[in-house]
Amino acid sequence: MKSLTILQIVLFLALSPRVDAQVLFGSIVGNVTDPSSAGVPGAQVKVVNTGTGQTSDLVTTDDGGFAINTIPPGTYTVTVTASGFKSASRRDVIVASNSTVRVTLGLEVGQVSERIEISAEAAVLKTDTMDVRSEIGAADLQNVPVPVTRNFQTLLVTVPGIAPPRDAHSISANPSRSLQLNANGTTAQSTAIRIDGATAWNSWLPHVGGYVPALEAIQNVNVQSSAYEAELGYAGGAAVNVTIKSGTNEFHGSGFEYHSNQHLKARPYFLAPNRGKDKRILNQFGGTLGGPIVKNKVFFFGSYEGTLDRQSSFQTVVVPTVAMKQGNMSASTLPIFDPMTGAENGSGRTPFAGNIIPAGRISPIIRKIVDLTPDPNLGDTNALGTNYFSNGSFLYDRHVLDTKFNAQVTDRLNLAARISYLDWNFLNPPLYGELGGTGIESRGSYDGEGLGSTLTMTYSGVYTVSPTVVIDGYFGYTVIDNAVENTRLDENLGTDLLGIPGTNGPNRNYGGWPGFAVTGFPTYGRAQNNSPWGLRLPQAQYVSSLAWVKGKHNFRFGWDALWMGMDGNEPSGYPGGFNFNREVTGTVGTAVNDYNAYASFLLGLPNSMERRTRVITGYTRTWAHSLYARDKWQVNQQLTVSLGVRWDYFGVPTRIDGQGLEIYDFNTGQLKMCGIGGLPQNCGFTMSKKYFAPRVGVAYRPTNSFVI
């Protein structure tokens, strides 16, 4: 175990599921039989997308079987004609992405001009796939009550094996408000989300998704949780595949608005007795529109969702009493010892007379902070406890846009493009006003302003070489770009106001307050030592595959390439922090309390100090490649066997300047800089090229209502 940095990235790649091209599309398989239930060879099969008019023609095999791969999600009509038989049609065959639908049509003796039409029933069983999966359709997403913010992930609690999804991180780190998902007892890092096939990770925090589309934009959600076929790799707990709606030959639109405010909520339990409920206004609104650009050829779909959150937030915390701010600690039941007395090891110290610190001993630097510290305004203002109520106005705006275009360029070539975009910002006032402190609203975490965007897209194409050979591929790209700035960054408060050398500078990111952490009290000044920060997470993926139907065999071969980067500055600057504990004004063998900690603060005697200087910018890049082959063999009308193998290779990450990453050697206690000082770029850390994963699956259907 050598490297935290490299191992974290490699394990993230190894445990995170990725989606291949088939996830974007679906398949229809079936059999055509005569009145004796024997297969009808050479029958003509026509598959028509009723929404877009897209048509595919097939011919049944010697045993009456047929299969069509890589078709867009939608509603289809399957029609069969054969000499000497009446034609037969099955309408309303619903094909979802990443699904295989079986259609069996029985022909009756008669003239082809005679026709039998059957409406398809909803598929209850997955008859031709070996994996364990669940589907959540558009009707469920729009009709099942979803909590405020209307995130589709809340409905994943209905999927067997997935624990109740839960919130994770602040708005700045997780602006899409993606939920943390744990599936089948695995870590959240092994459950990933894809939007129309494109990776949508937050690679800095891989246990949450990087983008959550609007609820109205989603056609269906497909969740695979085990027994994956060769097309799907690196899946631990579950792979959540989201498909965005597409336009059809008919115009369809919708509009919505949801409103919530404080009058619809219970009064917070810890709110001061003499206060009414604080303002909380949440509005979510938007709409969708889809339809044809050129009938039967080009289609569009668009969705917009806006979220405006206005809240009067509050915190109840501990601040020093007026007497304490003057150096009077007489309310303490324990003595306050003078650290300038006694032995070097802290023994034999003399307590301050009456537990009062002389005015001349109070640090003039700390006095400036004390003068800005608010007095108690809650409960017993002369007692140390939860005695201060602070409130402020929190603002959070989020705008989500999902668009999709589909084009049937020729009878053989179909193209699609999806572009989704998130824009967000928040304003979070600090706890102590001009003195800083943590953000008043816990969801924002940081004080000041946060802003950023997420752009994610998928471009896909399907080319039908012949009725039995189809080539498909897609390119996906996602980039998350977030930043947080603290209040008063443009002021050098550490050097100019407090007069502490070496705090602020050399640039604006080191501006504002240093941090003063006193045990038992919320931090004054800069409350976080990892802000301000900026984070850019680009990722790209290219997947291509070939599907070939040969008799009873349905072959698929594919290549999957993933490129991922992390451009992180956390923090991008930090003017320093000072920590004050209780023991500085204690003595050996004597108990201490929070009065001791505040006395240490007044004396200006920190027990530890820190300052962070950014020398290396965290720009890292890495590649992963996969190859797979799979044969789905239709042994007979009841038995399907899937045989496949997948090969994966994970590259060792490097920095964009060609330098390697850093490795901490636990054996020697040394931090090795890969690519510097004679060390190789990978520090000797290599990845195996022998990761082969065989896949075998069987689906047996003794009857139409029973599948093993």
Side-chain angles (χ1 to χ4, degrees):
M1 183 176 181
K2 281 178 155 186
S3 163
L4 288 176
T5 305
I6 289 181
L7 282 181
Q8 285 174 343
I9 296 175
V10 171
L11 286 175
F12 159 65
L13 284 171
L15 293 176
S16 297
R18 287 220 312 273
V19 171
D20 296 280
Q22 181 61 19
V23 168
L24 292 172
F25 311 104
S27 302
I28 295 177
V29 300
N31 295 91
V32 179
T33 60
D34 63 18
S36 67
S37 297
V40 179
Q44 302 295 316
V45 181
K46 184 182 291 292
V47 180
V48 180
N49 186 318
T50 57
T52 65
Q54 180 179 348
T55 301
S56 301
D57 294 307
L58 310 168
V59 178
T60 59
T61 58
D62 292 341
D63 63 348
F66 68 91
I68 178 171
N69 293 298
T70 321
I71 57 176
T75 302
Y76 289 82
T77 296
V78 180
T79 302
V80 177
T81 57
S83 178
F85 296 94
K86 300 177 183 179
S87 64
S89 295
R90 188 174 297 274
R91 297 181 288 106
D92 301 327
V93 177
I94 299 176
V95 178
S97 61
N98 196 30
S99 69
T100 299
V101 179
R102 172 164 287 276
V103 176
T104 300
L105 285 169
L107 301 183
E108 298 180 6
V109 176
Q111 300 297 317
V112 174
S113 57
E114 299 178 87
R115 186 168 183 170
I116 301 172
E117 289 194 2
I118 306 170
S119 293
E121 298 178 355
V124 177
L125 298 175
K126 307 295 188 296
T127 61
D128 291 87
T129 57
M130 295 73 188
D131 57 354
V132 177
R133 66 175 64 199
S134 299
E135 301 281 345
I136 302 176
D140 297 323
L141 292 167
Q142 295 177 22
N143 296 328
V144 175
V146 180
V148 175
T149 70
R150 307 175 66 250
N151 185 337
F152 80 91
Q153 295 172 329
T154 58
L155 294 182
L156 295 179
V157 71
T158 64
V159 176
I162 292 186
R166 59 186 187 274
D167 285 326
H169 300 284
S170 63
I171 287 175
S172 53
N174 180 19
S176 282
R177 306 315 296 145
S178 179
L179 303 180
Q180 183 171 323
L181 306 173
N182 291 83
N184 298 316
T186 62
T187 67
Q189 289 187 341
S190 65
T191 300
I193 296 174
R194 304 293 179 268
I195 314 296
D196 272 3
T199 61
W201 295 322
N202 183 326
S203 51
W204 192 258
L205 303 169
H207 50 282
V208 295
Y211 180 77
V212 177
L215 202 64
E216 271 73 13
I218 300 174
Q219 178 64 38
N220 76 291
V221 179
N222 172 279
V223 183
Q224 294 173 267
S225 54
S226 66
Y228 310 112
E229 295 186 1
E231 292 95 320
L232 183 61
Y234 325 134
V240 181
N241 312 306
V242 181
T243 302
I244 301 300
K245 292 177 180 177
S246 300
T248 65
N249 276 324
E250 296 182 0
F251 285 99
H252 292 279
S254 66
F256 63 92
E257 181 172 3
Y258 294 87
H259 173 79
S260 176
N261 60 49
Q262 71 274 13
H263 303 297
L264 304 174
K265 298 180 178 295
R267 186 176 184 277
Y269 180 81
F270 292 104
L271 196 64
N274 60 342
R275 290 186 59 86
K277 290 187 287 187
D278 289 301
K279 179 180 76 174
R280 173 69 196 280
I281 298 176
L282 177 67
N283 286 302
Q284 270 192 308
F285 53 89
T288 66
L289 181 64
I293 297 175
V294 179
K295 192 170 184 180
N296 291 334
K297 291 291 185 180
V298 185
F299 311 90
F300 78 94
F301 173 81
S303 166
Y304 166 76
E305 179 183 88
T307 303
L308 305 181
D309 191 345
R310 304 291 184 270
Q311 180 172 344
S312 179
S313 300
F314 71 91
Q315 288 191 38
T316 54
V317 297
V318 178
V319 297
T321 64
V322 173
M324 292 175 65
K325 292 165 66 175
Q326 296 172 351
N328 186 344
M329 308 292 168
S330 59
S332 174
T333 57
L334 299 174
I336 308 297
F337 290 90
D338 185 350
M340 303 302 292
T341 63
E344 186 176 349
N345 66 357
S347 62
R349 289 176 174 173
T350 303
F352 285 105
N355 275 356
I356 297 175
I357 299 174
R361 294 285 301 276
I362 297 178
S363 166
I365 294 175
I366 300 302
R367 170 55 64 190
K368 296 176 183 179
I369 300 174
V370 171
D371 290 343
L372 292 173
T373 304
D375 294 333
N377 61 8
L378 185 67
D380 186 353
T381 57
N382 294 316
L384 187 61
T386 303
N387 56 8
Y388 180 68
F389 177 91
S390 176
N391 70 328
S393 296
F394 173 75
L395 176 150
Y396 174 42
D397 289 345
R398 188 178 68 190
H399 304 276
V400 178
L401 180 67
D402 294 291
T403 64
K404 193 170 184 179
F405 298 90
N406 301 78
Q408 186 171 350
V409 181
T410 69
D411 291 341
R412 295 189 175 191
L413 178 62
N414 289 273
L415 301 177
R418 173 197 64 89
I419 301 176
S420 300
Y421 185 75
L422 162 69
D423 180 81
W424 66 274
N425 70 281
F426 74 75
L427 293 173
N428 195 13
L431 172 66
Y432 296 121
E434 60 179 334
L435 181 57
T438 186
I440 196 75
E441 168 55 39
S442 59
R443 290 181 298 153
S445 182
Y446 301 92
D447 69 291
E449 180 180 11
L451 70 164
S453 63
T454 298
L455 173 66
T456 175
M457 60 187 72
T458 308
Y459 300 98
S460 62
V462 179
Y463 183 73
T464 303
V465 180
S466 71
T468 59
V469 179
V470 177
I471 299 173
D472 61 71
Y474 77 81
F475 171 76
Y477 179 77
T478 298
V479 58
I480 302 172
D481 198 348
N482 297 336
V484 167
E485 290 197 343
N486 300 96
T487 55
R488 306 187 71 175
L489 277 183
D490 293 309
E491 303 174 66
N492 291 326
L493 299 171
T495 55
D496 297 348
L497 175 64
L498 300 180
I500 306 176
T503 50
N504 301 120
N507 56 52
R508 180 175 178 272
N509 290 328
Y510 293 84
W513 287 108
F516 299 88
V518 183
T519 301
F521 302 85
T523 301
Y524 308 115
R526 182 75 58 85
Q528 294 90 5
N529 60 11
N530 63 338
S531 63
W533 57 261
L535 190 62
R536 186 176 184 272
L537 305 174
Q539 51 196 286
Q541 186 176 21
Y542 177 73
V543 177
S544 62
S545 62
L546 183 146
W548 174 35
V549 178
K550 180 66 174 178
K552 296 183 178 182
H553 296 270
N554 188 331
F555 299 99
R556 180 174 285 274
F557 309 93
W559 169 48
D560 186 342
L562 173 68
W563 171 89
M564 187 171 64
M566 292 186 182
D567 303 345
N569 288 308
E570 183 185 350
S572 51
Y574 179 54
F578 303 87
N579 303 305
F580 301 86
N581 67 12
R582 300 162 176 167
E583 286 71 21
V584 170
T585 57
T587 191
V588 175
T590 303
V592 290
N593 57 24
D594 290 347
Y595 287 92
N596 293 89
Y598 198 76
S600 304
F601 174 63
L602 290 179
L603 292 169
L605 298 175
N607 62 286
S608 65
M609 308 179 275
E610 66 171 316
R611 187 179 189 275
R612 300 186 179 190
T613 301
R614 176 164 290 281
V615 178
I616 300 175
T617 303
Y619 294 104
T620 62
R621 299 290 185 266
T622 189
W623 278 93
H625 293 275
S626 303
L627 297 172
Y628 67 86
R630 184 265 293 159
D631 174 19
K632 188 173 286 187
W633 176 25
Q634 186 74 58
V635 181
N636 54 48
Q637 293 187 22
Q638 285 76 41
L639 179 63
T640 303
V641 177
S642 178
L643 303 172
V645 63
R646 186 179 182 94
W647 172 80
D648 298 305
Y649 173 72
F650 310 99
V652 177
T654 59
R655 298 199 185 279
I656 60 174
D657 57 5
Q659 179 186 325
L661 301 184
E662 300 80 41
I663 290 181
Y664 179 76
D665 192 324
F666 289 93
N667 296 321
T668 64
Q670 294 180 334
L671 181 67
K672 298 180 179 180
M673 310 294 287
C674 307
I676 296 178
L679 288 174
Q681 190 181 59
N682 61 6
C683 273
F685 187 93
T686 60
M687 292 298 296
S688 173
K689 296 180 180 179
K690 300 178 181 180
Y691 288 149
F692 289 92
R695 309 290 174 90
V696 179
V698 175
Y700 178 59
R701 302 172 297 280
T703 69
N704 291 333
S705 59
F706 181 49
V707 177
I708 300 174

